[in-house]
C-alpha cells in the first residue's frame, strides 16, 4: 500500500472514531487520534483516543498513554491540528514531541487563534515530519459545528424535514403528521443526540405538543437543549416541553420582558429565556445563532415547522439539510414542504442518499 493510501485509510478510521463523542464534548470539538506503528506484519494501531465527554482530556494524551513506549518512532493520525496552548494539561503538540512520535498526519486545520498553525509549527521545529490536509473535507464535515462557531461566530444549522410523497409536511391546522417509519425515527433521534440544541417554532410546539427528547435505548441521557422561538409566549405551561424540563433544559427565545405574566409562569416551571430581537413579529435568526454560539453551543437541529424551516432557508442559514421522504401521501389540505429532495436550491451538494426502511434519506451540505 502506498503512503497516501495508508494515510487515508487510518485517517478515515480516526474520523469515524471522532464521531463517537459528537455533541458530548461541550464547546470543544470531538477529535480523535490513532497511533500507528510499522511492524513486520504491516502497520498496527497501538493507541487510540477520542476527546473525552465534557471536552477534556484531549484525544492525543489518551492515545499516547495507551501506546506507551510503542509511540516512539510511530505515526500519529489526528483529525484536528494538535493544540498549542496550555490548558489543564500541556499542549498536545508538546505531548506528541515528548512521546517520540516521528510523523504526524493531520486532517482539519484548527481556527482557534491559540492553535491555528502553531500546533504544526511546534511539531516541525522538533523535527517531526508533518503531513497536513489528509481527508480534510471529511474531517471538517464531522467538525462542522465547531468550525462554524469558530469561523463565523454562529451556530451550525441542520434542517431536518420529513416530506410526504406529494411534497407535504403536514395537514393545515393539524401540524405535522406521522410520515416516516421507526427506522427513520431512530435516525432522527441519533441526530438529536449529536446536536447541542433542537429548535422549533411556537406554532409547531403548540400544534404538535412534541417532547423533542432522545428516546433511544442507551441514549436517553443525551437529550439536547430544546429551544422554542416564541415571540408571543404561546407555549402552554401544560405542554410536554415544559412538563419534561427535568429530562432536558427548555430555552425560549422571546422579546417579552421578565415581568410578562406568561414569561413568569414559564420561568416558574423551569424554562430559561434568550432575549431575542424581533423584526416584523419574527425572531431575528442570525442574531439568535450568534447568541447560541456565544454560549459555547455549536450545533442546532431545526425540526419545524414549515414557516421556521422556510425562514432559515430563505435567510441562507441552513448548513446541512436532511430530508426524509416517505412513500405516504398526505390527502386533503396539506402544508407544503419549503423544500423537497427534488427542489434543493443551488449551493447545496448531496453528501448521502440512503434508505431507512421504506423512507428515503437525502443529506445535502451547503458549500462554504
Ligand atoms: C486537541 N485535541 O482532542 C481537542 C482539541 O478548553 P481547552 O483547553 O480544552 O481547549 C479547547 C481547544 O482545544 C479547542 O478550541 C480546540 O482548539 C482544541 N481541541 N485539541 O489537541 C483534542 N478536542
Ligand atoms: Zn490538545
Amino acid at each position: 500500500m502506498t503512503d497516501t493510501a495508508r494515510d487515508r485509510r487510518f485517517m478515515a478510521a480516526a474520523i469515524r472514531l471522532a464521531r463517537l463523542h459528537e455533541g458530548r464534548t461541550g464547546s470543544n470539538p470531538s477529535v480523535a487520534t490513532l497511533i500507528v506503528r510499522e511492524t513486520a506484519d504491516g502497520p498496527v494501531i497501538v493507541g487510540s483516543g477520542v476527546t473525552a465527554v465534557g471536552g477534556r482530556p484531549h484525544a492525543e494524551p489518551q492515545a499516547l498513554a495507551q501506546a506507551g513506549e510503542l509511540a516512539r518512532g510511530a505515526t500519529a493520525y489526528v483529525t484536528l491540528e494538535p493544540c498549542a496552548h496550555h490548558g489543564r494539561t500541556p499542549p498536545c503538540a508538546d505531548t506528541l514531541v515528548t512521546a517520540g512520535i516521528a510523523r504526524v498526519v493531520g486532517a482539519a486545520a484548527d481556527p482557534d487563534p491559540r492553535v491555528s498553525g502553531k500546533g504544526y509549527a511546534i511539531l516541525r521545529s522538533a523535527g517531526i515530519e508533518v503531513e497536513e490536509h489528509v481527508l480534510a473535507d471529511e474531517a471538517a464535515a464531522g467538525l462542522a459545528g465547531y468550525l462554524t462557531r469558530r469561523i463565523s461566530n454562529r451556530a451550525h444549522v441542520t434542517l431536518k424535514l420529513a416530506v410526504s410523497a406529494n411534497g407535504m409536511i403536514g395537514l393545515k391546522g393539524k401540524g405535522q403528521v406521522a410520515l416516516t417509519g421507526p427506522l427513520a425515527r431512530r435516525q432522527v433521534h441519533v441526530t438529536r443526540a449529536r446536536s447541542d440544541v433542537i429548535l422549533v417554532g411556537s406554532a409547531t410546539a403548540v400544534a404538535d405538543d412534541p417532547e423533542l427528547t432522545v428516546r433511544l435505548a442507551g441514549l436517553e441521557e443525551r437529550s439536547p437543549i430544546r429551544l422554542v422561538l416564541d415571540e408571543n409566549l404561546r407555549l402552554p405551561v401544560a405542554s410536554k416541553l415544559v412538563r419534561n424540563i427535568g429530562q432536558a433544559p427548555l430555552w425560549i427565545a422571546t422579546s417579552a420582558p421578565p415581568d410578562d405574566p406568561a414569561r413568569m409562569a414559564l420561568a416558574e416551571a423551569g424554562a430559561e429565556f434568550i432575549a431575542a430581537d424581533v423584526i416584523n413579529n419574527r425572531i431575528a435568526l442570525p442574531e439568535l445563532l450568534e447568541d447560541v454560539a456565544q454560549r459555547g453551543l455549536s450545533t442546532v437541529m431545526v425540526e419545524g415547522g414549515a414557516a421556521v424551516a422556510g425562514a432559515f432557508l430563505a435567510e441562507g442559514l441552513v448548513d446541512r439539510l436532511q430530508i426524509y421522504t416517505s412513500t405516504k401521501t398526505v390527502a386533503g389540505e396539506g402544508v407544503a414542504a419549503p423544500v423537497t429532495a427534488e427542489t434543493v436550491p443551488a449551493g447545496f451538494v448531496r453528501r448521502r442518499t440512503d434508505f431507512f426502511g421504506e423512507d428515503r434519506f437525502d443529506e445535502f451540505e451547503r458549500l462554504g
Side-chain angles (χ1 to χ4, degrees):
M1 202 187 291
T2 64
D3 257 17
T4 317
R6 185 168 53 203
D7 285 349
R8 291 169 68 89
R9 183 181 132 209
F10 283 113
M11 189 59 82
I15 290 169
R16 283 195 296 273
L17 178 61
R19 298 215 71 186
L20 195 65
H21 286 168
E22 241 177 65
R24 305 191 73 195
T25 50
S27 60
N28 221 331
S30 179
V31 166
T33 301
L34 294 181
I35 311 294
V36 176
R37 237 190 121 74
E38 277 308 324
T39 71
D41 299 326
V44 169
I45 297 174
V46 293
S48 67
V50 55
T51 311
V53 172
R56 281 273 178 177
H58 285 181
E60 293 86 339
Q62 300 182 67
L64 290 169
Q66 219 177 66
E69 271 309 302
L70 294 176
R72 213 154 281 283
T75 297
Y77 291 85
V78 294
T79 60
L80 182 74
E81 178 180 359
C83 69
H85 65 283
H86 283 269
R88 265 176 279 149
T89 49
C92 289
D94 288 350
T95 311
L96 290 162
V97 172
T98 310
I101 289 289
R103 183 168 176 257
V104 170
V105 181
D110 189 349
D112 185 328
R114 297 171 298 175
V115 181
S116 184
K118 300 187 189 95
Y120 289 134
I122 290 174
L123 301 173
R124 287 199 174 99
S125 62
I128 293 179
E129 183 194 335
V130 177
E131 175 89 28
E132 297 180 44
H133 311 302
V134 172
L135 298 189
D137 289 349
E138 287 83 347
L143 296 166
Y146 170 75
L147 296 175
T148 303
R149 181 166 58 79
R150 278 267 179 233
I151 296 166
S152 311
N153 292 312
R154 66 165 177 86
H156 177 274
V157 173
T158 294
L159 171 62
K160 170 243 141 186
L161 287 171
V163 181
S164 72
N166 57 335
M168 303 294 162
I169 63 164
L171 272 173
K172 280 220 169 85
K174 295 228 173 84
Q176 302 186 14
V177 288
L179 289 170
T180 48
L183 289 176
R185 244 170 288 146
R186 282 177 68 139
Q187 193 58 26
V188 169
H189 281 244
V190 170
T191 309
R192 281 182 182 172
R194 287 198 167 118
S195 305
D196 296 324
V197 175
I198 306 177
L199 182 151
V200 295
S202 56
T204 298
V206 172
D208 296 358
D209 195 20
E211 296 190 58
L212 302 179
T213 49
V214 175
R215 296 185 299 284
L216 269 187
L219 294 183
E220 298 92 340
E221 303 291 310
R222 310 255 302 253
S223 292
I225 293 162
R226 288 97 33 89
L227 172 58
V228 180
L229 306 186
D230 198 4
E231 53 280 13
N232 300 319
L233 292 182
R234 294 169 51 212
L235 186 69
V237 173
S239 62
K240 287 186 191 145
L241 281 170
V242 176
R243 281 189 318 201
N244 67 11
I245 280 174
Q247 288 171 43
L250 174 66
W251 290 8
I252 298 174
T254 187
S255 60
D259 59 356
D260 180 301
R263 175 165 166 166
M264 282 162 63
L266 288 162
E268 177 72 18
E272 293 165 58
F273 293 87
I274 295 193
D277 296 334
V278 174
I279 301 163
N280 295 334
N281 206 31
R282 283 249 177 125
I283 294 196
L285 300 177
E287 289 76 7
L288 179 71
L289 294 177
E290 278 171 30
D291 191 327
V292 167
Q294 270 160 22
R295 294 165 195 256
L297 303 164
S298 304
T299 50
V300 172
M301 179 183 184
V302 175
E303 287 219 45
V308 168
F312 272 95
L313 278 167
E315 295 188 42
L317 295 172
V318 175
D319 300 295
R320 191 172 286 167
L321 189 52
Q322 296 185 332
I323 303 179
Y324 295 86
T325 309
S326 163
T327 52
K328 289 186 191 155
T329 300
V330 169
E333 259 212 290
V335 178
V339 65
T340 71
E342 280 71 48
T343 64
V344 172
F348 283 93
V349 284
R350 185 188 299 272
R351 285 273 188 241
R352 183 174 163 193
T353 293
D354 231 319
F355 279 99
F356 294 107
E358 289 198 329
D359 302 312
R360 179 180 167 145
F361 174 75
D362 291 282
E363 184 173 76
F364 303 87
E365 199 92 30
R366 192 160 55 109
L367 288 175

